[in-house]
Amino acid sequence: MPPLRGDLISLRLVRRADLDDLIELLNDLGTRGALGHFLKSETDIRGRFERDGYWSDDSGVLLMIDAAADTVGWIGFIPVTYYFYGYEINYQVFGEQYSGKGYATEALGLLTEYLFSTKLMDRLQLSIHPDNLASQRVAEKCGYTREGVLRSLGFLDGRFHDIEMWSITREMHEAL
């Protein structure tokens, strides 16, 4: 798959040379955001790469690369569940130095366009913590709509939290 390019970043597949940096970046809890508190072992990270390179027909991870060739974050998709025709998108920007620059917005727009043009599905969704105003703005800029609240779905800091569900359908995307 060729890189997906925008004005600020390109999205590309994970490469073997990225793994050492990814192990550190994915386990930096200070940059993980409202729901990204899970540690990933080196064995898990390398194992997933060996299994499928972080890319398969039904799920994938792409790195956000800026103009200076720095890895500024990642974005990925997974099936919602086996009996629905849709995907959930997740993303992370690696640190405050990359926040607020439009990287997540551009990445979400690029991946949304890619998935609607290549996958047999009609819906993409995002799960966003209600306090994550930055992700809510990203979702809105990319045409996603807040559908409602899933009560006590996310576990963080020793307690359960509500999660907002945001989505976009193929019809909504085509109307943009």
Side-chain angles (χ1 to χ4, degrees), residues 6-80:
D7 294 330
L8 304 171
I9 58 161
S10 63
L11 301 178
R12 69 160 172 79
L13 295 169
V14 177
R15 299 175 183 155
R16 187 175 308 280
D18 299 319
L19 295 180
D20 288 339
D21 288 339
L22 276 181
I23 290 165
E24 296 302 318
L25 292 167
L26 292 174
N27 285 305
D28 181 352
L29 297 182
T31 67
R32 293 303 305 267
L35 294 175
H37 58 282
F38 301 107
L39 295 172
K40 296 290 263 180
S41 74
E42 180 176 345
T43 303
D44 285 345
I45 292 169
R46 291 186 190 283
R48 169 78 197 266
F49 182 81
E50 292 303 326
R51 202 168 37 257
D52 64 10
Y54 280 91
W55 194 264
S56 68
D57 288 339
D58 67 347
S59 68
V61 171
L62 298 167
L63 298 180
M64 298 180 206
I65 309 297
D66 70 5
D70 291 329
T71 302
V72 300
W74 66 269
I75 189 165
F77 69 100
I78 56 173
V80 173

Side-chain angles (χ1 to χ4, degrees), residues 4-167:
L4 303 171
R5 297 190 194 287
D7 294 330
L8 304 171
I9 58 161
S10 63
L11 301 178
R12 69 160 172 79
L13 295 169
V14 177
R15 299 175 183 155
R16 187 175 308 280
D18 299 319
L19 295 180
D20 288 339
D21 288 339
L22 276 181
I23 290 165
E24 296 302 318
L25 292 167
L26 292 174
N27 285 305
D28 181 352
L29 297 182
T31 67
R32 293 303 305 267
L35 294 175
H37 58 282
F38 301 107
L39 295 172
K40 296 290 263 180
S41 74
E42 180 176 345
T43 303
D44 285 345
I45 292 169
R46 291 186 190 283
R48 169 78 197 266
F49 182 81
E50 292 303 326
R51 202 168 37 257
D52 64 10
Y54 280 91
W55 194 264
S56 68
D57 288 339
D58 67 347
S59 68
V61 171
L62 298 167
L63 298 180
M64 298 180 206
I65 309 297
D66 70 5
D70 291 329
T71 302
V72 300
W74 66 269
I75 189 165
F77 69 100
I78 56 173
V80 173
T81 187
Y82 72 92
Y83 50 84
F84 288 147
Y85 292 96
Y87 293 99
E88 179 156 344
I89 295 177
N90 301 287
Y91 52 84
Q92 174 189 356
V93 175
F94 293 136
E96 290 298 317
Q97 70 272 30
Y98 302 123
S99 295
K101 298 187 183 302
Y103 297 146
T105 301
E106 189 166 83
L108 181 58
L110 289 168
L111 187 57
T112 297
E113 180 66 34
Y114 174 80
L115 291 174
F116 276 128
S117 68
T118 63
K119 301 290 182 192
L120 180 62
M121 55 84 200
D122 197 42
R123 171 191 170 87
L124 296 172
Q125 67 185 42
L126 309 167
S127 296
I128 301 175
H129 190 283
D131 295 339
N132 191 341
L133 301 180
S135 277
Q136 292 171 22
R137 283 191 303 274
V138 167
E140 288 171 342
K141 288 177 185 177
C142 291
Y144 286 71
T145 301
R146 182 182 177 273
E147 293 184 335
V149 176
L150 304 170
R151 302 283 176 221
S152 294
L153 184 65
F155 187 76
L156 177 67
D157 294 331
R159 66 183 185 92
F160 285 93
H161 296 258
D162 294 346
I163 300 298
E164 293 182 353
M165 179 61 60
W166 291 68
S167 73

